[in-house]
């Protein structure tokens, strides 16, 4: 049953978890959620939350729920949905981060920070200076791990949508794709324009941000991106680490 509950209080009071819309179903007019195996393990074995406890859920599609655990077993946790809300926590800016692959811990920081800051989609990019190599047999495992990081960051930051992450693609392929918004490449050699001076009138409502690996883009890569319509913009006189620059840029946007 829908109700106007206080979503801020909901997030502060109850533990919050992601639930796929596919796991929410109706039975005799009442909504129930059957949580996935990872969440079941976290609720039962880590947090020690049992039947009767109230939790907060969000479905990644814009809905947030107050729910009560009515069944708790090692193989299954079922929650009864008590209230539903459509919180306004998402940014009006559609921001896609095309991030060159970097070392695992640094990339984890970017995935977490970008989610907290409101990015809607992440595109892992293969560049010439990338020190990280991913084999085709490992990619599905990597994507699963990245998706879990995004879900957790969305849960902790009170978002109701989880950023999508795609399979890694090579930079030249990305540059060939059509994009109907503003395209920006972060480049330390950019001249005559800083990100803070990006045209604000009218403000762009869709941005594709291209960020490089450790060591930055090769000049040829940056020049190819610029010739493909990317605006070369910098972040000031100092050089930032690969995991710092995109988060600083996203914050400014």
């Amino acid at each position: 049953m829908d109700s106007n509950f206080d979503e801020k209080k909901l997030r502060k009071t109850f533990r919050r978890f992601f639930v796929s819309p596919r796991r929410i179903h109706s039975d005799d007019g009442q909504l129930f959620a059957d949580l996935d195996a990872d969440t079941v393990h976290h609720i039962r074995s880590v947090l020690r939350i049992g039947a009767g406890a109230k939790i907060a859920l969000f479905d990644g599609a814009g809905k947030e729920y107050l729910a009560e655990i009515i069944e708790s077993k090692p193989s299954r946790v079922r929650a009864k949905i008590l209230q539903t809300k459509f919180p306004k926590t998402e940014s009006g800016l559609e921001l896609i981060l095309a991030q060159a692959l970097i070392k695992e811990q640094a990339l984890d920081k970017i995935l977490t920070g970008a989610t907290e800051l409101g990015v809607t989609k992440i595109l892992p990019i293969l560049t010439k200076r990338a020190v990280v190599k991913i084999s085709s047999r490992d990619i599905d495992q990597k994507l699963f791990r990245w998706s879990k990081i995004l879900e957790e960051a969305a849960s902790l930051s009170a978002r109701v949508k989880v950023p999508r992450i795609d399979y890694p693609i090579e930079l030249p392929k990305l540059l060939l794709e059509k994009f109907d918004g503003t395209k920006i490449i972060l480049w330390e050699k950019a001249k005559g324009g800083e990100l803070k001076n990006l045209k604000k009138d009218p403000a762009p409502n869709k941005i594709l941000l291209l960020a490089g690996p450790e060591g930055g883009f090769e000049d040829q890569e940056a020049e190819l991106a610029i010739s493909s319509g990317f605006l070369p913009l910098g972040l000031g006189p100092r050089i930032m680490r690969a995991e710092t620059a995109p988060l600083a840029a996203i914050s400014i946007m």
Side-chain angles (χ1 to χ4, degrees):
M1 177 175 167
D2 290 2
S3 177
N4 292 322
F5 59 85
D6 186 340
E7 63 265 21
K8 291 184 179 179
K9 182 179 179 181
L10 175 71
R11 298 180 202 116
K12 291 180 180 179
T13 307
F14 304 109
R15 293 281 187 171
R16 194 167 185 267
F17 307 96
F18 170 75
V19 58
S20 169
R22 298 190 303 271
R23 291 183 168 273
I24 297 175
H25 57 90
S26 178
D27 188 1
D28 289 333
Q30 175 64 56
L31 290 178
F32 297 90
D34 291 313
L35 306 183
D36 64 72
D38 287 337
T39 305
V40 169
H41 171 76
H42 190 60
I43 285 176
R44 287 178 51 86
S45 302
V46 179
L47 299 176
R48 305 289 184 178
I49 298 175
K54 288 186 173 62
I55 58 175
L57 301 172
F58 71 106
D59 65 1
K63 293 181 183 178
E64 191 169 60
Y65 308 95
L66 172 62
E68 179 182 349
I69 296 176
I70 59 172
E71 183 179 351
S72 179
K73 297 179 180 179
S75 60
R76 176 179 178 180
V77 169
R78 168 173 282 196
K80 179 181 179 181
I81 293 176
L82 306 176
Q83 297 171 321
T84 305
K85 188 72 174 180
F86 297 84
K88 301 298 182 182
T89 59
E90 296 299 316
S91 170
L93 172 64
E94 183 178 351
L95 205 163
I96 300 171
L97 173 62
Q99 174 62 53
L101 286 180
I102 59 176
K103 293 179 181 178
E104 187 172 270
Q105 289 187 342
L107 182 59
D108 290 353
K109 291 179 181 178
I110 291 177
L111 296 179
T112 299
T115 301
E116 293 173 355
L117 292 168
V119 161
T120 55
K121 183 178 177 181
I122 297 173
L123 302 172
I125 305 299
L126 303 174
T127 59
K128 292 182 179 179
R129 289 181 178 170
V131 297
V132 175
K133 308 296 181 184
I134 299 179
S135 65
S136 57
R137 65 183 179 183
D138 294 333
I139 187 57
D140 286 333
Q141 184 178 359
K142 288 285 187 182
L143 278 172
F144 178 80
R145 181 177 177 278
W146 293 338
S147 296
K148 287 299 179 182
I149 291 173
L150 298 178
E151 288 176 10
E152 182 178 2
S155 176
L156 293 174
S157 60
R159 290 192 62 175
V160 289
K161 293 185 178 180
V162 179
R164 197 179 92 198
I165 188 164
D166 285 356
Y167 278 85
I169 62 172
E170 294 183 352
L171 178 59
K173 183 177 180 181
L174 171 72
L175 301 181
L176 291 175
E177 295 185 357
K178 292 183 178 179
F179 183 75
D180 60 355
T182 300
K183 299 189 294 185
I184 296 171
I185 177 172
L186 290 180
W187 193 31
E188 68 276 8
K189 295 183 181 181
K191 296 179 180 179
E194 297 301 331
L195 187 58
K196 64 182 180 181
N197 296 324
L198 182 66
K199 189 175 181 181
K200 300 182 180 67
D201 189 18
N205 56 19
K206 188 174 183 180
I207 294 176
L208 174 60
L209 176 66
L210 178 57
E214 298 95 341
F217 292 107
E218 288 192 353
D219 288 355
Q220 185 179 11
E221 290 178 316
E223 290 164 1
L224 183 60
I226 293 168
S227 67
S228 301
F230 280 78
L231 301 174
L233 293 173
L235 290 167
R238 292 178 298 280
I239 302 297
M240 296 185 183
R241 296 174 66 93
E243 64 266 37
T244 305
L247 300 182
I250 294 167
S251 298
I252 295 171
M253 292 175 186

